[in-house]
Amino acid sequence: MGQMNRRTVRDLRRGNRSTLLRQLYFQGPVSRQELGALTGLSSGSVSNVVGELLADGLVEEAGSVESDGGRPRTLLRVAPGSGHLIGVDVGETHVRVELFDLTLTELARWEHPLTPGGLEREPEPVVGHILTGLDAVVAKSGAEPGKVIGVGVGVPGVVEQGDEALVHGPTAGRDAVPLERLLRTGTELPLFIDNGATAQGQAEMWFGAGRGADNAVIALIGSGVGAAIVTAGMPYRGATSSAGEWGHTVVQVGGRACRCGAVGCLEAYVGAQAVLDRYGRRAGGVYGGAEGDAAGAGAGAGVGAAAGVGACLGAGEDQQAAFAAIVGAAGTEARAREVLEETAAYLGAGIADLINLFNPERIILGGWAGLLLGGRMLPRIRAATAAYALHRPYAQTEIGLAELGPDAVALGAATLPLAHFLATGRAR
């Protein structure tokens, strides 16, 4: 019985430590008195736990404020340099590794481009790039490896959590890749692996456009299409962690082939590559591959913007530059405008599905392609959504743009070890 009581007391102290640390992180700098009001803990509990956090170097004093008729109150905050976080973005076209302090200020970055469809996108080369990037950012920042709280890795596909994290990537033809085990061969740092959209969605909810909402969907569009679904403040993962594969919901029965093997998927209409392909198919085959070649150079419409897209590709520029060329040409060139209008219509239908299914407070459109589309077409996207969604839930849903920028997957991945730190109250 005594042993049980000791465990209960220890669990209680751990819970109090986590509660205070979260408030200091998201609300700080705050005083001890304010911490009591925010958490409902007694002044004695606050004093004891704060003393522990100060002794561990996780919390520091941050000035003082005058109190009503008494002594000035000391402000406290989480110490930015008391630990480091690493976020890894395994994207379609790159592996990006970033190292942050505890306030998510970036201290170092490393990036390696990937050739779409190339052999270096296979699991083993990708793991090699990640491990190289980890060494590079630690060396560049001068961070002590022992102060790295953990490494968050955001990947495309479904991440099956269990004894080890397994990655299923249907669009890349991979199944049950033991990514965690492969990384373990080259690093002893704590690893946290999740879907990139889910990780980025967590960052938007904590620090971006999702702040203050309990029910939201962060819809991300880049080379692929995905979503992070948040219900009652928590990510919705489904029975086997595959929830959020919004890009593979069907918007056209018998429609365009999707790289997942199905037809008519939303990604086959609004994903960056799909937009480029649809543009090229009727613009002389500048980007559309076999489909574009079949259309022939006599398509006529779109020659001006097609040349711009072709110039980007011919100069070795990436998919983002080609996509941006189409968006930029939409104001003056009919074919570019037609493709974007069509894309906005399909995207609106996809967002309407999210509204009808999940009834969120907010739909947050992000990802590098989503921000480019939204920056130019947001009113059109909203109008298309209104046409397909149920009236009342649509009227109660805000549709806006993500705030953390087009390349926030690594930042989102860094929130994975950060969440563990705040839940346990310990750096390692």
Side-chain angles (χ1 to χ4, degrees):
M1 186 68 175
Q3 186 178 6
M4 183 181 297
N5 287 338
R6 284 196 296 273
R7 284 201 302 269
T8 302
V9 170
R10 185 167 61 250
D11 291 343
L12 180 61
R13 291 183 67 84
R14 186 184 299 120
N16 289 347
R17 185 180 173 103
S18 173
T19 297
L20 287 174
L21 200 56
R22 287 185 67 88
Q23 292 296 333
L24 283 165
Y25 192 86
F26 290 109
Q27 305 296 333
V30 293
S31 67
R32 289 172 176 81
Q33 291 82 353
E34 288 171 310
L35 282 173
L38 288 168
T39 63
L41 296 175
S42 69
S43 59
S45 294
V46 170
S47 179
N48 289 336
V49 175
V50 166
E52 292 177 5
L53 294 171
L54 286 166
D56 291 343
L58 298 179
V59 168
E60 64 184 15
E61 295 184 354
S64 61
V65 293
E66 295 295 329
S67 61
D68 296 333
R71 296 167 57 188
R73 293 180 177 179
T74 301
L75 298 177
L76 304 165
R77 67 178 181 184
V78 172
S82 60
H84 296 93
L85 306 161
I86 296 178
V88 179
D89 172 13
V90 180
E92 302 274 353
T93 59
H94 62 259
V95 173
R96 180 179 297 125
V97 183
E98 299 177 31
L99 184 143
F100 306 86
D101 68 14
L102 267 185
T103 61
L104 290 176
T105 298
E106 183 184 312
L107 303 179
R109 172 184 292 214
W110 178 93
E111 185 169 341
H112 182 85
L114 298 177
T115 303
L119 291 177
E120 67 174 348
R121 294 188 71 244
E122 293 297 313
E124 288 77 10
V126 167
V127 166
H129 298 320
I130 294 173
L131 294 174
T132 298
L134 295 181
D135 290 339
V137 295
V138 169
K140 184 177 180 180
S141 66
E144 299 176 26
K147 293 183 70 173
V148 176
I149 292 171
V151 178
V153 184
V155 297
V158 177
V159 179
E160 181 182 345
Q161 305 289 354
D163 293 336
E164 62 174 349
L166 301 176
V167 180
H168 305 271
T171 60
R174 303 189 187 101
D175 189 52
V177 175
L179 181 59
E180 184 176 359
R181 189 193 317 162
L182 294 172
L183 288 171
R184 275 278 157 257
T185 64
T187 183
E188 296 181 355
L189 295 173
L191 296 171
F192 303 84
I193 301 172
D194 209 336
N195 173 267
T198 300
Q200 186 171 345
Q202 179 166 268
E204 281 290 340
M205 293 299 293
W206 284 6
F207 309 111
R211 285 173 296 181
D214 287 328
N215 298 277
V217 179
I218 299 87
L220 301 172
I221 302 174
S223 300
V225 176
I229 302 162
V230 178
T231 62
M234 299 296 293
Y236 176 73
R237 297 180 178 276
T240 58
S241 298
S242 69
E245 291 295 329
W246 174 54
H248 302 291
T249 56
V250 176
V251 293
Q252 178 68 60
V253 174
R256 287 173 51 85
C258 180
R259 58 182 179 163
C260 75
V263 296
C265 294
L266 179 65
E267 183 175 299
Y269 292 88
V270 307
Q273 185 62 54
V275 173
L276 292 169
D277 286 348
R278 289 191 357 262
Y279 179 88
R281 186 173 68 251
R282 298 189 216 171
V286 172
Y287 194 88
E291 286 185 342
D293 293 339
V303 173
V309 175
C312 289
L313 297 172
E317 295 290 343
D318 60 14
Q319 184 186 68
Q320 296 189 25
F323 190 91
I326 294 177
V327 173
T332 57
E333 194 273 301
R335 177 57 192 153
R337 185 163 55 252
E338 177 187 355
V339 169
L340 291 193
E341 287 282 340
E342 184 181 59
T343 301
Y346 280 112
L347 181 53
I351 292 174
D353 287 342
L354 294 174
I355 290 174
N356 292 344
L357 282 169
F358 298 107
N359 186 210
E361 300 165 64
R362 298 178 197 170
I363 298 284
I364 299 164
L365 183 60
W368 64 264
L371 289 174
L372 282 170
L373 280 171
R376 185 172 191 93
M377 306 291 291
L378 190 58
R380 178 69 184 91
I381 292 167
R382 286 171 174 157
T385 303
Y388 292 107
L390 293 171
H391 174 71
R392 182 165 177 77
Y394 169 77
Q396 296 172 325
T397 304
E398 300 175 17
I399 302 175
L401 300 181
E403 295 179 356
L404 299 182
D407 300 315
V409 173
L411 176 67
T415 68
L416 301 175
L418 174 60
H420 178 76
F421 165 70
L422 294 176
T424 61
R426 298 190 178 280
R428 290 290 285 270

